[in-house]
Amino acid sequence: IGRALQLRNGSDSMRLSVDEAFQKYGDRIFSAAFSICQNQTDADDVTQDTLIRYYSLNKEFENEQHLKAWLIRVAINRAKDITASFWRKNKVNWEDYMAELPFQEPEDSRLFEAVMRLPGKYRTVIHLFYYEGYAIEEIAGILHRPAGTVKSQLNRGRKLLKNTLQEEWNGDE
């Protein structure tokens, strides 16, 4: 299974080994999960659960983009399950974890904090659009929402971010 792509039966389908999927998409799975769970422990669990599900599924994918979208969709769904669980009440605050993150610029920290304070539906689409580079139509497919809803949530999330950051910048003067 050491090859990056495994072509089966001469078809165009592909499958990465779990190690390869983790190497290639582990950070993206983690960051998508973190944007919902807002803590490292749960995001680590979601990453592991997502890769276990990938391993257990034994599914062939059309291409790497299909695989990436599937992994992120599974991670988002699993993260939502965790945030709704009883155990969620015993979490570490994302603000505490933020102190451990290495930000290159102070503005990066402020932007991250502003994004994390957004309501979940806006935070998720902002994350997928800006951090993962997905187009609106791709986000709609991942989240199983109409593209118009995603576009609306993205615009509302941007407005909330803009207002939050402007208030903060005006307060710094």
Side-chain angles (χ1 to χ4, degrees), residues 36-93:
I36 295 169
C37 297
Q38 299 184 353
N39 74 71
Q40 180 182 10
T41 303
D42 287 344
D44 284 337
D45 289 346
V46 168
T47 302
Q48 182 177 358
D49 290 351
T50 300
L51 291 168
I52 288 171
R53 181 148 183 227
Y54 172 69
Y55 174 78
S56 301
L57 188 62
N58 198 24
K59 173 182 173 150
E60 298 289 325
F61 292 88
E62 296 170 18
N63 53 43
E64 285 196 55
Q65 189 62 24
H66 181 218
L67 169 61
K68 177 182 168 188
W70 184 89
L71 289 168
I72 290 176
R73 182 174 51 248
V74 169
I76 288 170
N77 289 337
R78 182 66 185 120
K80 287 179 180 179
D81 291 344
I82 286 177
T83 59
S85 73
F86 167 79
W87 300 108
R88 179 65 176 187
K89 295 177 183 174
N90 298 318
K91 69 175 177 83
V92 175
N93 222 342

Side-chain angles (χ1 to χ4, degrees), residues 29-173:
I29 295 167
F30 176 87
S31 60
F34 189 85
S35 75
I36 295 169
C37 297
Q38 299 184 353
N39 74 71
Q40 180 182 10
T41 303
D42 287 344
D44 284 337
D45 289 346
V46 168
T47 302
Q48 182 177 358
D49 290 351
T50 300
L51 291 168
I52 288 171
R53 181 148 183 227
Y54 172 69
Y55 174 78
S56 301
L57 188 62
N58 198 24
K59 173 182 173 150
E60 298 289 325
F61 292 88
E62 296 170 18
N63 53 43
E64 285 196 55
Q65 189 62 24
H66 181 218
L67 169 61
K68 177 182 168 188
W70 184 89
L71 289 168
I72 290 176
R73 182 174 51 248
V74 169
I76 288 170
N77 289 337
R78 182 66 185 120
K80 287 179 180 179
D81 291 344
I82 286 177
T83 59
S85 73
F86 167 79
W87 300 108
R88 179 65 176 187
K89 295 177 183 174
N90 298 318
K91 69 175 177 83
V92 175
N93 222 342
W94 67 263
E95 290 96 344
D96 295 339
Y97 178 66
M98 194 173 125
E100 299 175 20
L101 295 175
F103 293 104
Q104 292 181 359
E105 301 291 330
E107 295 82 25
D108 296 341
S109 173
R110 288 187 205 138
L111 178 60
F112 176 80
E113 186 175 351
V115 170
M116 294 307 289
R117 291 191 187 281
L118 289 173
K121 63 184 177 181
Y122 304 133
R123 186 175 56 245
T124 302
V125 296
I126 292 282
H127 174 82
L128 291 173
F129 188 81
Y130 289 104
Y131 293 101
E132 299 301 329
Y134 281 108
I136 289 172
E137 294 77 21
E138 293 170 315
I139 296 169
I142 290 170
L143 299 177
H144 299 292
R145 296 180 189 157
T149 300
V150 170
K151 190 173 184 179
S152 173
Q153 290 173 340
L154 187 58
N155 285 332
R156 289 180 185 149
R158 286 177 183 144
K159 286 179 186 175
L160 286 171
L161 271 178
K162 181 180 176 185
N163 292 340
T164 300
L165 293 172
Q166 278 183 338
E167 287 173 12
E168 186 176 314
W169 290 330
N170 289 339
D172 285 348
E173 293 176 2

